[in-house]
Amino acid sequence: MARAHWGCCPWLVLLCACAWGHPKAVDVGGQDVRNCSINPPYLPVTVVNTTVSLAALRQQMQTQNLLAYIIPDTDAHMNEYISQRDERRAWITGFTGSAGTALVTMKKAAVWTDSRYWTQAERQMDCNWELHKEVGTTPIVTWLLTEIPAGGRVGFDPFLLSIDTWESYDQALQGSNRHLVSIVTNLVDLVWGSERPPVPNQPIYALQEAFTGSTWQEKVSGIRSQMQKHQKAPTAVLLSALEETAWLFNLRASDIPFNPFFYSYALLTDSSIRLFANKSRFSSETLTYLNSSCTGPMCVQIEDYSQVRDSIQAYALGDVRIWIGTSYTTYGIYEVIPKEKLVTDTYSPVMMTKAVKNSKEQALLKASHVRDAVAVIRYLVWLEKNVPKGTVDEFSGAELVDKFRGEEQFSAGPSFQTISASGLNAALPHYSPTRELNRKLSSDEMYLLDSGGQYWDGTTDITRTVHWGTPSAFQKEAYTRVLIGNIDLSRLVFPAATSGRMVEAFARRALWDVGLNYGHGTGHGIGNFLCVHEWPVGFQSNNIAMAKGMFTSIEPGYYKDGEFGIRLEDVALVVEAKTKYPGSYLTFEVVSFVPYDRNLIDVSLLSPEHLQYLNRYYQTIREKVGPELQKRQLPEEFQWLQQHTEPLSARAPDPASWASVLVVSTLAILGWSA
Amino acid sequence: MARAHWGCCPWLVLLCACAWGHPKAVDVGGQDVRNCSINPPYLPVTVVNTTVSLAALRQQMQTQNLLAYIIPDTDAHMNEYISQRDERRAWITGFTGSAGTALVTMKKAAVWTDSRYWTQAERQMDCNWELHKEVGTTPIVTWLLTEIPAGGRVGFDPFLLSIDTWESYDQALQGSNRHLVSIVTNLVDLVWGSERPPVPNQPIYALQEAFTGSTWQEKVSGIRSQMQKHQKAPTAVLLSALEETAWLFNLRASDIPFNPFFYSYALLTDSSIRLFANKSRFSSETLTYLNSSCTGPMCVQIEDYSQVRDSIQAYALGDVRIWIGTSYTTYGIYEVIPKEKLVTDTYSPVMMTKAVKNSKEQALLKASHVRDAVAVIRYLVWLEKNVPKGTVDEFSGAELVDKFRGEEQFSAGPSFQTISASGLNAALPHYSPTRELNRKLSSDEMYLLDSGGQYWDGTTDITRTVHWGTPSAFQKEAYTRVLIGNIDLSRLVFPAATSGRMVEAFARRALWDVGLNYGHGTGHGIGNFLCVHEWPVGFQSNNIAMAKGMFTSIEPGYYKDGEFGIRLEDVALVVEAKTKYPGSYLTFEVVSFVPYDRNLIDVSLLSPEHLQYLNRYYQTIREKVGPELQKRQLPEEFQWLQQHTEPLSARAPDPASWASVLVVSTLAILGWSA
């Protein structure tokens, strides 16, 4: 789980927002929000004055003969996190939340966002902007139809709408006599002008061979072989997602927060490799690494990033068929390819191939998780000593765990903004503390830490929830049921090619049993120094079937509004299961190695199988992390690990559940009086 | 489960056929199949000579200027079972299997069907027909493109293609310069002529009020109220499925095997009720019951069945919006309604409303299941006595259980063709014995009975698997794991509005654990004297979310090719669950009341919770069925019931599973040497 939304996929925002219901706004520092209903309006100091920039935008709209202009919250690559220069919606509105669409007409301006951000929007937007507490294209179009007359033109930047989003606008407007107009030059950018953050310019570098699963040449050959075997014989694969280019060429940079990517597209044809990026960012070594001085089918020709649309359009003039994944391709590319020359799948072959890690990639990801466990354990040990002193707050805690991770070998920063949430704040799904707004950690409250690291060998993501004092019976029950969910899904044996959606309820059953549940997804894929939320692996309806070699998080939770939040998240590898009878079955091998909080486990709720699983897992943690802690000369942490991985004992072999069966049976024999 | 396919839905045949893989052909009477590769060809006596009818069909095609003609396997109402006069594909090909599409060109003729029917097709078709061992429109269209030249016209009866199927043909042919041509007069019917079975003519009768959940007037008002509340304000609902008309008007007949329906359509507008059927089949009492002599909004105007297309077309000229369920509407209706006048959902409001039974309907369905249990128990008792004598075969057994059901109050025949399968035949998913081809029942083999009844108050469907001798350890393990699956799903507590697809894996987990599985769905809705496979309730991806008041079967199984088959099917009502913490949760209440076979249960595999559930279920069976057996003066059956519902005992309170935990824990303490 992370602050923004899952899976680099904008549609998930909707899913997430709906599923979470209406959590209360963050209430850690008062509710100083705007009041536009009085005259003059009340505006808190956090508000941005947008009058001038809005006027300038409307002038641009006028030159294009537009009555409305759509400003989405994404970038040209459908990234989960976007760089500052792509934060157009934030810049023009003042509202910096990660999700929300803006629409400007000649007279009005409005933002649509979900309940996570309502308070934030009221604190950041001035009264030029209406706030609409809805998401999806339907309410936007409904509003649009009342605001602009028939015949009106609605402009949009085609690089900021996915094919699906464009289709939903197009369908909603059909028959309305309002026209969607694709305008390649972004009008907000024109207004933003020189103030707009510059194009990132750090070097694009090749990963050391030690950190790659295959050479880029092997990957290119593999994708070409898929093209050849494809029924529709595509002549090229077009890659729009930054993680696709990064993976294919084993290249990395730091253009995007938390993701080691660089702005790029790639067109891999049967006879050429064309990488659209800023050539000045490649060192001569990297250019040599890419064979970029030659022109054969295994040489990478680097073309300028800005040329991609024209180049694809020119390529599409030939007798070609271009294979795209519709989830990550924008309308800006889509509209220049004749439909009969498109070969479409939901996910590109690179996305599909990347989802299954080879044995070297598996080993790399596992190794990064061992080191990551060291950082998290160091933090938990430190908390255990320092929280009782009353000196730790959520923000300083988050900084410390980030620091501990930074001290690990191959570290390249956090993989998302650390969620460090104490007490009632942990019930807010996407809460992150700030230096200004945060809560003190206390032995009287539960504390939830959801964090992860980028390392050259792998990306990590783990959530642990702890309590240093005396948890309530309800907190222990909820925690234990979340743990049972985690275990039940982790140890599940299921047929190969089962979709995650079919089995994710196993993570919920122990909660459902007593009327509890959680409102978010149960897991997501994860990459090798790539996305922390790596699509298309996971447990949602748009995820692909499970296959050996995939990694996914498993993260049930429970949230009690205004009181506490629990989430137990591990990363697991999909492995072959050895079944009693032969067959093609899979199961999970957990590769996160931090023990759960014994203080919060009610052993009486665990079955013998749960205890067996848990004790085996703890044994593995000792085997994997123990030597690492000793090697680092961290005796205190080693001691802590031994204590926290002591085998949990089964209850007396005559538990109430057995007794109740005997009682029911006896009553039954005596005449069904039970 | 039943012989043909589930859910009155043709697309399920594909799903089913694929999921089952390639079961072997029924091998109970030799393999006397055609051989078209020798000259002259070898044709078994079971083959039908189709030369004359094919020539006549091609003549008809010529008059329509067609190069090909599609002959589907369904009728104009997408019925699961079709009447003889709709068996066009069977008549023109000779092949009588329930699934398979035929295509005739001027030179060739071919049938596409799934593996269940390959042997049967080779035994019934002469050498005029190619057999293609594939299903779906893609292989048909691929073949078509090689067989007919560009510009060719491909005819079809629009009443025999669902909207979806038409779209798949249309899409597959797009850009190929072959044209789909809708021809309302069925060309096979023209050739069939006077030989074609006549239109059914039995009376259409109203159900007694005792057997209906609401009056038809109440139902009509309810649907109209949904029309009014609908955002798109439809002016009419069009009903194409026969079960919709039967349900809405509380009318029944016997036009369709196993289903008490009559050929009809209904157009329910905001101001009129138009029932398209054969008026001569209504008695004056029934006409009075329908207020058919008046013209107000609560009077049923009966129009001729054959007028439906013209009438809908005429209605669609007005300022109207017609609400249809696309799953059951054919292209023959769809093509006469302008697209902008359509309001489409997957299922019509009648289909959706019918899915949730009110309290009276629930009581009726439950009552029918008590009497149904009496019939099944009588049969099981009889088998226990007679199988050892070696005088019972699958067919005579099926006849007897049908007879016992027929003796129950309100009986209206079986709800599908009884599956009575001994030994290896039970591993064939859709096996039904015939008088000629059947297997003897034996104490050395398992026996599977999947059967159900139509009663005026309800429709039933139950499967039990038994063994009268000494089952193998594997048979007991497989049976017990199927039983655990049944129990785990039946006792599941889940949030309201969860889709069945999300939870059906609970019925599989105990099998998956050891590498076993089954290849069919886990359950389907069921009606009140309506369809035994009542869509859209169930556990498949196209089923709707579970709601209180729905009935579904729960029927995991396990099949060992060439050896045996196990299925344990119960019907269950979706009810509110009482959870420890408040919330909107559901669970199932099983309403099938026949005990499982103790001889096949390995108690050591059951958890305390399973035993508790099972003993409570047995207690309920005694309470519900015991008094009924006593009332009927069936002491032997009563005695049998008592024996077979004795509470099952938990094993000693120190079972292996607990011991293994202790061992593992101990080993762990001793240094992780386990």
Side-chain angles (χ1 to χ4, degrees):
Chain A
M1 168 101 33
R3 180 179 150 271
H5 47 77
W6 278 14
C8 317
C9 295
W11 65 77
L12 278 180
V13 138
L14 306 184
L15 194 146
C16 234
C18 301
W20 279 111
H22 302 278
K24 295 191 186 73
V26 180
D27 185 6
V28 281
Q31 299 271 348
D32 191 16
V33 298
R34 67 177 185 175
N35 185 348
C36 299
S37 66
I38 54 175
N39 197 350
Y42 169 73
L43 298 175
V45 291
T46 42
V47 148
V48 175
N49 184 335
T50 63
T51 304
V52 174
S53 47
L54 256 180
L57 177 62
R58 287 187 174 120
Q59 208 164 1
Q60 293 293 343
M61 288 164 58
Q62 210 150 24
T63 63
Q64 299 280 352
N65 196 20
L66 300 177
L67 293 189
Y69 189 64
I70 303 168
I71 307 158
D73 54 12
T74 186
D75 68 8
H77 307 278
M78 304 290 115
N79 275 310
E80 177 176 10
Y81 308 104
I82 61 175
S83 80
Q84 283 196 328
R85 68 181 268 106
D86 283 321
E87 290 187 348
R88 299 176 178 91
R89 203 274 343 279
W91 182 79
I92 194 78
T93 64
F95 161 57
T96 60
S98 69
T101 300
L103 190 70
V104 176
T105 67
M106 297 314 278
K107 287 187 188 154
K108 289 189 180 172
V111 163
W112 284 256
T113 190
D114 68 80
S115 55
R116 291 173 293 164
Y117 297 112
W118 294 343
T119 303
Q120 183 179 347
E122 301 276 18
R123 287 174 51 77
Q124 298 183 316
M125 298 198 304
D126 65 14
C127 294
N128 287 311
W129 296 88
E130 296 179 5
L131 173 61
H132 292 270
K133 298 179 173 183
E134 291 169 303
V135 290
T137 52
T138 308
I140 299 178
V141 169
T142 305
W143 185 83
L144 193 59
L145 293 178
T146 65
E147 292 299 326
I148 70 165
R153 286 160 48 94
V154 181
F156 69 98
D157 178 343
F159 284 97
L160 299 185
L161 293 189
S162 71
I163 299 172
D164 286 350
T165 309
W166 173 80
E167 271 174 356
S168 71
Y169 278 110
D170 186 58
Q171 280 202 341
L173 284 171
Q174 247 167 33
S176 74
N177 196 20
R178 275 82 166 178
H179 310 286
L180 275 179
V181 183
S182 164
I183 295 167
V184 173
T185 304
N186 189 288
L187 304 190
V188 175
D189 292 353
L190 291 180
V191 177
W192 208 346
S194 60
E195 304 280 297
R196 190 180 170 213
V199 180
N201 209 17
Q202 302 94 324
I204 296 165
Y205 59 93
L207 273 181
Q208 295 169 44
E209 206 194 315
F211 302 117
T212 63
S214 325
T215 64
W216 69 257
Q217 289 88 345
E218 288 166 338
K219 290 177 177 177
V220 161
S221 301
I223 301 300
R224 279 192 176 140
S225 147
Q226 291 186 49
M227 288 160 58
Q228 281 160 10
K229 286 177 195 152
H230 194 292
Q231 222 190 342
K232 294 187 179 161
T235 59
V237 169
L238 173 69
L239 305 177
S240 292
L242 300 190
E243 56 184 306
E244 294 179 307
T245 327
W247 176 86
L248 184 65
F249 297 110
N250 294 322
L251 294 176
R252 299 291 189 277
S254 52
D255 298 7
I256 307 291
F258 308 116
N259 290 146
F261 304 152
F262 57 99
Y263 285 108
S264 54
Y265 292 90
L267 185 72
L268 173 61
T269 80
D270 40 17
S271 59
S272 66
I273 309 167
R274 299 166 68 175
L275 172 58
F276 298 86
N278 182 343
K279 193 162 184 170
S280 70
R281 298 176 61 190
F282 295 85
S283 67
S284 60
E285 288 78 14
T286 310
L287 292 174
T288 306
Y289 161 83
L290 291 173
N291 303 339
S292 71
S293 56
C294 60
T295 54
M298 289 306 284
C299 310
V300 180
Q301 300 158 39
I302 299 177
E303 303 182 33
D304 198 68
Y305 178 80
S306 63
Q307 293 304 305
V308 66
R309 183 173 150 116
D310 292 346
S311 294
I312 300 294
Q313 191 161 24
Y315 178 77
L317 292 174
D319 177 21
V320 298
R321 283 162 305 284
I322 305 174
W323 193 0
I324 62 167
T326 53
S327 297
Y328 289 86
T329 309
T330 64
Y331 187 71
I333 299 289
Y334 178 78
E335 68 175 333
V336 301
I337 308 174
K339 297 305 149 274
E340 68 275 15
K341 296 190 177 180
L342 276 174
V343 177
T344 59
D345 277 311
T346 310
Y347 304 106
S348 80
V350 164
M351 217 63 162
M352 297 294 283
T353 306
K354 179 165 61 62
V356 176
K357 274 68 176 168
N358 67 24
S359 56
K360 188 177 168 196
E361 289 165 332
Q362 291 174 25
L364 288 166
L365 246 171
K366 286 182 184 179
S368 70
H369 277 80
V370 172
R371 297 196 312 281
D372 195 70
V374 171
V376 176
I377 288 168
R378 285 179 67 195
Y379 179 56
L380 291 176
V381 171
W382 184 88
L383 286 178
E384 212 167 284
K385 286 190 296 185
N386 288 281
V387 168
K389 299 178 193 163
T391 55
V392 189
D393 66 54
E394 294 166 335
F395 187 75
S396 65
E399 281 190 321
L400 187 64
V401 73
D402 292 351
K403 176 176 168 288
F404 283 150
R405 276 205 173 85
E407 290 168 11
E408 290 300 316
Q409 203 179 15
F410 311 141
S411 168
S415 59
F416 59 95
Q417 189 172 349
T418 294
I419 298 175
S420 165
S422 186
L424 78 175
N425 287 340
L428 300 167
H430 293 278
Y431 173 79
S432 286
T434 62
R435 194 176 300 277
E436 297 73 34
L437 293 177
N438 59 65
R439 188 177 182 88
K440 196 137 280 184
L441 272 57
S442 154
S443 297
D444 298 331
E445 291 192 332
M446 290 175 92
Y447 171 66
L448 184 154
L449 175 78
D450 184 352
S451 62
Q454 289 288 9
Y455 304 92
W456 294 346
D457 45 355
T459 308
T460 68
D461 186 4
I462 184 169
T463 309
R464 288 294 180 267
T465 307
V466 288
H467 196 302
W468 300 279
T470 308
S472 71
F474 179 57
Q475 286 173 331
K476 285 185 76 168
E477 175 176 5
Y479 183 95
T480 308
R481 291 186 181 279
V482 171
L483 177 61
I484 291 173
N486 183 308
I487 293 175
D488 279 348
L489 184 52
S490 299
R491 72 191 185 95
L492 186 74
V493 174
F494 54 94
T498 298
S499 85
R501 189 67 171 170
M502 285 277 296
V503 298
E504 74 115 37
F506 286 98
R508 299 178 187 270
R509 181 171 61 168
L511 289 162
W512 287 355
D513 262 348
V514 291
L516 308 179
N517 200 4
Y518 54 94
H520 54 74
T522 294
H524 54 79
I526 193 164
N528 282 78
F529 193 25
L530 290 165
C531 272
V532 70
H533 303 141
E534 187 177 270
W535 231 243
V537 173
F539 295 96
Q540 307 213 32
S541 55
N542 54 2
N543 289 132
I544 58 174
M546 292 287 175
K548 184 184 157 187
M550 290 175 171
F551 281 80
T552 178
S553 75
I554 291 176
E555 48 180 305
Y558 172 71
Y559 309 89
K560 178 76 177 164
D561 256 11
E563 296 191 18
F564 63 87
I566 296 165
R567 188 162 59 255
L568 295 176
E569 174 185 24
D570 294 301
V571 170
L573 167 63
V574 181
V575 296
E576 273 176 11
K578 286 176 191 67
T579 50
K580 181 175 177 183
Y581 303 104
S584 187
Y585 284 78
L586 302 172
T587 189
F588 297 105
E589 176 191 329
V590 173
V591 302
S592 302
F593 298 119
V594 178
Y596 308 111
D597 188 359
R598 304 170 80 82
N599 193 26
L600 280 162
I601 298 176
D602 178 353
V603 181
S604 76
L605 292 173
L606 301 180
S607 73
E609 292 76 16
H610 294 138
L611 283 166
Q612 194 165 356
Y613 172 90
L614 204 50
N615 288 335
R616 283 208 180 126
Y617 173 55
Y618 279 4
Q619 178 180 352
T620 307
I621 293 180
R622 285 189 175 186
E623 287 167 359
K624 299 278 183 189
V625 185
E628 191 73 18
L629 293 172
Q630 289 179 306
K631 198 177 79 184
R632 309 278 192 87
Q633 299 183 308
L634 294 166
E636 199 178 355
E637 283 75 6
F638 181 79
Q639 191 52 38
W640 183 94
L641 185 72
Q642 296 303 109
Q643 278 171 16
H644 285 257
T645 51
E646 279 294 317
L648 289 157
S649 308
R651 301 194 314 149
D654 189 9
S657 57
W658 282 96
S660 70
V661 172
L662 291 172
V663 167
V664 168
S665 305
T666 311
L667 286 171
I669 293 165
L670 295 174
W672 306 112
S673 57
Chain B
M1 169 108 25
R3 180 178 150 272
H5 47 77
W6 277 15
C8 318
C9 295
W11 65 77
L12 277 181
V13 137
L14 305 185
L15 194 147
C16 235
C18 300
W20 279 109
H22 301 278
K24 295 190 187 73
V26 181
D27 186 7
V28 281
Q31 298 273 348
D32 192 15
V33 299
R34 67 177 186 177
N35 184 350
C36 299
S37 65
I38 53 174
N39 196 349
Y42 170 72
L43 297 175
V45 292
T46 42
V47 148
V48 176
N49 186 334
T50 62
T51 304
V52 173
S53 48
L54 255 181
L57 177 62
R58 288 189 174 119
Q59 210 164 1
Q60 293 293 343
M61 286 163 61
Q62 210 151 24
T63 63
Q64 299 280 353
N65 193 22
L66 300 177
L67 293 189
Y69 189 64
I70 303 168
I71 306 156
D73 54 12
T74 187
D75 68 8
H77 306 277
M78 304 291 115
N79 274 311
E80 178 176 8
Y81 308 103
I82 60 175
S83 80
Q84 283 196 328
R85 68 182 266 104
D86 282 322
E87 291 187 348
R88 299 176 179 94
R89 204 271 346 277
W91 182 77
I92 194 79
T93 65
F95 161 59
T96 60
S98 70
T101 300
L103 189 70
V104 176
T105 67
M106 297 315 278
K107 287 187 185 152
K108 290 189 179 172
V111 164
W112 285 257
T113 190
D114 69 79
S115 55
R116 292 174 291 165
Y117 296 112
W118 294 343
T119 303
Q120 183 179 346
E122 299 277 18
R123 287 173 52 76
Q124 296 184 316
M125 298 198 304
D126 66 13
C127 293
N128 287 312
W129 295 88
E130 294 178 7
L131 173 62
H132 291 270
K133 299 178 171 182
E134 291 167 304
V135 289
T137 51
T138 307
I140 299 178
V141 170
T142 305
W143 185 83
L144 193 59
L145 292 178
T146 65
E147 293 299 328
I148 70 163
R153 286 160 48 95
V154 181
F156 69 98
D157 178 343
F159 284 97
L160 299 185
L161 293 189
S162 71
I163 299 172
D164 286 349
T165 309
W166 173 80
E167 270 174 357
S168 70
Y169 277 111
D170 187 56
Q171 280 204 340
L173 284 171
Q174 246 166 33
S176 73
N177 197 18
R178 276 81 166 178
H179 310 287
L180 276 178
V181 183
S182 164
I183 295 168
V184 172
T185 305
N186 189 288
L187 303 191
V188 174
D189 292 354
L190 291 180
V191 177
W192 207 347
S194 61
E195 305 279 296
R196 188 177 172 217
V199 179
N201 210 15
Q202 303 94 322
I204 296 165
Y205 60 93
L207 273 181
Q208 296 168 43
E209 204 193 317
F211 302 118
T212 64
S214 324
T215 65
W216 70 257
Q217 288 89 343
E218 288 166 338
K219 290 177 177 178
V220 161
S221 300
I223 301 299
R224 280 191 175 141
S225 148
Q226 290 185 49
M227 287 160 57
Q228 281 159 11
K229 286 176 194 154
H230 195 290
Q231 220 190 344
K232 295 187 178 161
T235 59
V237 169
L238 172 69
L239 305 176
S240 292
L242 301 190
E243 56 184 306
E244 294 178 306
T245 327
W247 177 85
L248 184 65
F249 297 109
N250 293 323
L251 294 175
R252 300 290 190 275
S254 52
D255 298 7
I256 307 292
F258 307 116
N259 290 145
F261 303 152
F262 57 100
Y263 286 108
S264 53
Y265 293 89
L267 185 73
L268 173 61
T269 80
D270 39 16
S271 59
S272 67
I273 309 168
R274 300 166 68 176
L275 171 58
F276 298 87
N278 181 343
K279 192 161 186 170
S280 69
R281 297 176 59 188
F282 295 84
S283 67
S284 61
E285 288 79 11
T286 309
L287 291 174
T288 306
Y289 160 83
L290 291 172
N291 302 339
S292 68
S293 56
C294 60
T295 54
M298 287 307 284
C299 311
V300 180
Q301 301 159 38
I302 299 177
E303 303 183 33
D304 198 67
Y305 177 80
S306 63
Q307 294 305 305
V308 66
R309 184 173 149 113
D310 292 347
S311 295
I312 300 295
Q313 191 161 25
Y315 178 77
L317 292 174
D319 176 20
V320 297
R321 283 162 305 284
I322 306 175
W323 193 359
I324 61 167
T326 54
S327 296
Y328 289 86
T329 309
T330 64
Y331 187 71
I333 299 291
Y334 179 77
E335 67 175 334
V336 302
I337 308 174
K339 297 305 149 273
E340 69 274 14
K341 296 190 176 180
L342 274 174
V343 176
T344 60
D345 277 312
T346 309
Y347 304 106
S348 79
V350 164
M351 217 63 163
M352 297 295 283
T353 306
K354 178 165 61 62
V356 175
K357 274 71 177 167
N358 67 23
S359 56
K360 186 176 170 197
E361 288 164 335
Q362 291 175 25
L364 288 166
L365 245 171
K366 286 183 183 179
S368 71
H369 277 80
V370 172
R371 297 196 311 282
D372 195 69
V374 170
V376 175
I377 288 169
R378 285 178 68 194
Y379 179 57
L380 290 176
V381 171
W382 183 88
L383 285 178
E384 211 167 283
K385 285 190 296 185
N386 288 281
V387 168
K389 299 178 191 161
T391 54
V392 189
D393 65 54
E394 294 166 335
F395 186 76
S396 65
E399 281 191 321
L400 187 64
V401 73
D402 292 351
K403 176 177 169 289
F404 283 150
R405 275 204 173 85
E407 291 167 12
E408 290 300 317
Q409 201 177 16
F410 311 140
S411 170
S415 60
F416 58 96
Q417 189 173 348
T418 295
I419 297 176
S420 165
S422 186
L424 78 176
N425 286 341
L428 299 168
H430 293 279
Y431 174 79
S432 286
T434 62
R435 193 177 300 279
E436 295 75 34
L437 293 177
N438 60 63
R439 188 179 182 88
K440 196 138 279 184
L441 271 57
S442 153
S443 297
D444 299 330
E445 292 192 331
M446 290 175 92
Y447 171 67
L448 184 154
L449 176 78
D450 184 353
S451 62
Q454 289 287 11
Y455 304 92
W456 293 345
D457 45 355
T459 307
T460 68
D461 186 4
I462 184 170
T463 309
R464 287 294 180 264
T465 307
V466 289
H467 195 302
W468 300 279
T470 309
S472 72
F474 179 58
Q475 287 173 331
K476 285 184 75 167
E477 176 177 4
Y479 183 95
T480 308
R481 290 185 182 278
V482 171
L483 176 61
I484 291 173
N486 183 308
I487 293 174
D488 278 349
L489 185 52
S490 298
R491 72 193 186 94
L492 186 75
V493 173
F494 53 94
T498 298
S499 84
R501 188 69 171 167
M502 285 277 295
V503 297
E504 73 116 36
F506 287 98
R508 300 179 187 267
R509 181 171 63 168
L511 289 162
W512 286 356
D513 262 348
V514 291
L516 308 179
N517 199 4
Y518 54 94
H520 55 75
T522 293
H524 54 79
I526 193 163
N528 282 77
F529 193 25
L530 289 165
C531 272
V532 70
H533 303 142
E534 187 175 271
W535 231 241
V537 173
F539 295 96
Q540 307 214 32
S541 55
N542 53 2
N543 290 131
I544 58 173
M546 292 287 173
K548 183 183 158 188
M550 290 178 172
F551 281 79
T552 178
S553 75
I554 291 177
E555 48 178 306
Y558 172 71
Y559 309 89
K560 177 78 176 162
D561 255 10
E563 296 190 19
F564 64 87
I566 297 164
R567 188 161 58 253
L568 295 176
E569 175 185 24
D570 294 302
V571 170
L573 167 63
V574 181
V575 295
E576 272 176 12
K578 286 177 190 66
T579 50
K580 181 174 175 184
Y581 303 106
S584 186
Y585 285 78
L586 303 172
T587 189
F588 296 105
E589 177 191 328
V590 173
V591 302
S592 301
F593 298 120
V594 179
Y596 308 111
D597 188 359
R598 306 170 79 82
N599 192 26
L600 279 163
I601 299 176
D602 177 353
V603 181
S604 76
L605 292 174
L606 301 180
S607 73
E609 291 77 15
H610 294 138
L611 282 165
Q612 194 165 353
Y613 172 90
L614 203 50
N615 288 334
R616 283 208 179 125
Y617 173 54
Y618 279 4
Q619 178 179 351
T620 307
I621 293 179
R622 284 189 176 185
E623 287 167 359
K624 299 279 181 187
V625 185
E628 190 73 20
L629 292 172
Q630 289 179 306
K631 195 178 80 185
R632 308 280 191 87
Q633 299 184 309
L634 294 167
E636 197 178 358
E637 282 75 6
F638 181 79
Q639 190 54 38
W640 183 94
L641 185 72
Q642 296 301 110
Q643 276 170 16
H644 284 257
T645 52
E646 281 293 319
L648 288 157
S649 308
R651 299 193 315 148
D654 189 9
S657 58
W658 281 96
S660 70
V661 172
L662 293 173
V663 167
V664 168
S665 305
T666 311
L667 287 171
I669 294 164
L670 294 173
W672 305 109
S673 57

